Amino acid sequence: MRILLTGGSGMVGRNLLGHASARESEILAPRSRELNLLDREAVAEYIREHKPDLLIHAAGRVGGIQANMADPVGFLVENTQMGVHVINEAYRAGISHCINLASSCVYPRNAPNPLSEDQILTGELEPTNEGYALAKITAMRLCQYISQISENTHYTTLIPCNLYGRYDKFDPANSHMIPAVIRKIHEALVSNASSVEIWGDGEARREFMYIEDLADCVFSVVEKMRIGDEVPAVMNVGIGRDYTINEYYQAVASVIGFEGEFVHDLSKPVGMRQKLIDSTKINQLGWMPSTELPAGIEKTYRFFLEEVTNG
């Protein structure tokens, strides 16, 4: 099987390429200098030339609350263009299978938890990342429309919970929570700081999954598609439980060895109070995550020490 993977140089893409199942297929993972996903004609030409059997769309401009709030236009426009260009041109070229990766930010800000797939577009989005969410919803709906109008075409969207792990971004300006916390607590430890600041009261709840588990899930769905099993159009992918922000800080501190105190800045934004997704559909297909939080943080911290601080 020949697979076109977008976003091969990102965290998700690099973990997909590093997964054991990646060796069983020919994976095309063009970098941005080889294929500009914002250029529709270039995307169409690449797909016509290489004729992949399956598309995994993992590319995107990503970032935490700060990055999304700083440039909502960029997050909306670039992610929408990437998704529409890649998915629609794959369909136009006759590619029958696609796995599109979305984000749990597609859910309404006030939807009851755990979040189930049928709640999408039933309420207003979280304002701090609305642009990114709208782009992901557009790509998801495009996949659904394509599958509806073409009997032998199966385009599925996976909605992972928050992710962390190897190849994550640790720059505070554009990182997600766990890598940002790892860097913040590591620097506090190195500088012998007595305290670390937490945005808000730390009681907001989040679900984080180690990135290698998502890669494993994607290839399990690839295999289902390869053998012709029916796969739902939209599926959440998570670990089935959440933790408070305070608990994540404590877990990271425990792994790193920081024994100082935490100070809360109640003036800072915290986003949704809870975001726990319902992963029943993917679990029913036979997939379950395998990495516990302490082990995932330890692996991520080891990567940070080896690749970031020593890089």
Side-chain angles (χ1 to χ4, degrees):
M1 177 181 286
R2 177 177 287 182
I3 297 173
L4 170 57
L5 168 65
T6 67
S9 60
M11 179 176 71
V12 173
R14 294 176 77 173
N15 278 277
L16 285 168
L17 290 170
H19 192 275
S21 296
R23 295 190 291 269
E24 299 171 9
S25 300
E26 178 188 357
I27 300 183
L28 307 173
R31 300 181 72 87
S32 58
R33 63 176 177 269
E34 302 170 72
L35 176 59
N36 179 9
L37 300 181
L38 300 177
D39 183 339
R40 186 188 64 80
E41 286 297 331
V43 171
E45 181 179 350
Y46 187 93
I47 291 174
R48 285 195 301 266
E49 178 183 350
H50 294 279
K51 297 180 174 60
D53 303 298
L54 181 145
L55 165 68
I56 300 176
H57 179 44
R61 181 177 174 184
V62 298
I65 291 176
Q66 293 182 75
N68 275 268
M69 291 175 66
D71 187 16
V73 173
F75 276 88
L76 171 62
V77 173
E78 292 180 23
N79 285 295
T80 299
Q81 288 181 336
M82 282 187 240
V84 171
H85 292 169
V86 172
I87 295 166
N88 194 48
E89 294 306 323
Y91 166 61
R92 285 162 53 88
I95 297 176
S96 57
H97 293 88
C98 166
I99 298 174
N100 171 51
L101 294 176
S103 161
S104 59
C105 70
V106 301
Y107 284 104
R109 64 181 303 191
N110 295 319
N113 285 252
L115 302 165
S116 60
E117 294 87 349
D118 59 1
Q119 293 173 320
I120 296 170
L121 289 178
T122 61
E124 69 176 84
L125 300 165
E126 166 58 38
T128 56
N129 56 16
E130 183 184 78
Y132 179 76
L134 288 169
K136 290 299 180 181
I137 289 171
T138 298
M140 178 190 68
R141 277 292 194 250
L142 179 57
C143 287
Q144 290 178 283
Y145 295 158
I146 288 171
S147 296
Q148 288 168 7
I149 66 174
S150 181
E151 183 177 350
N152 296 317
T153 302
H154 306 283
Y155 283 25
T156 291
T157 295
L158 301 182
I159 304 176
C161 63
N162 296 299
L163 303 168
Y164 71 101
R166 290 175 56 81
Y167 306 113
D168 215 331
K169 296 179 180 179
F170 295 84
D171 180 350
N174 59 10
S175 63
H176 290 104
M177 193 198 73
I178 287 186
V181 173
I182 286 175
R183 183 174 200 125
K184 186 189 296 187
I185 293 181
H186 169 80
E187 291 177 349
L189 181 69
V190 170
S191 65
N192 293 315
S194 60
S195 66
V196 166
E197 180 186 89
I198 298 177
W199 281 24
D201 60 10
E203 292 303 316
R205 305 187 68 87
R206 292 291 182 271
E207 178 184 14
F208 272 87
M209 179 170 64
Y210 188 61
I211 186 61
E212 290 179 6
D213 285 345
L214 176 63
D216 186 67
C217 178
V218 169
F219 279 109
S220 74
V221 175
V222 168
E223 178 60 18
K224 293 288 184 184
M225 289 181 162
R226 188 188 68 81
I227 64 178
D229 284 359
E230 185 174 344
V231 177
V234 182
M235 290 185 290
N236 291 328
V237 182
I239 65 171
R241 69 158 299 179
D242 56 6
Y243 299 88
T244 66
I245 303 301
N246 288 328
E247 288 173 324
Y248 283 114
Y249 270 83
Q250 291 158 3
V252 172
S254 178
V255 168
I256 293 179
F258 176 73
E259 298 180 351
E261 64 176 353
F262 297 115
V263 178
H264 295 88
D265 183 346
L266 301 181
S267 70
K268 293 293 197 299
V270 296
M272 296 170 65
R273 296 303 295 178
Q274 184 183 26
K275 192 186 289 184
L276 172 65
I277 61 177
D278 181 351
S279 299
T280 300
K281 286 186 178 180
I282 192 68
N283 296 157
Q284 288 175 341
L285 284 184
W287 179 85
M288 296 286 289
S290 61
T291 308
E292 297 292 336
L293 181 63
I297 291 175
E298 185 174 349
K299 290 180 182 179
T300 307
Y301 184 50
R302 191 180 311 132
F303 172 80
F304 172 77
L305 291 176
E306 294 172 355
E307 304 293 331
V308 180
T309 60
N310 294 333

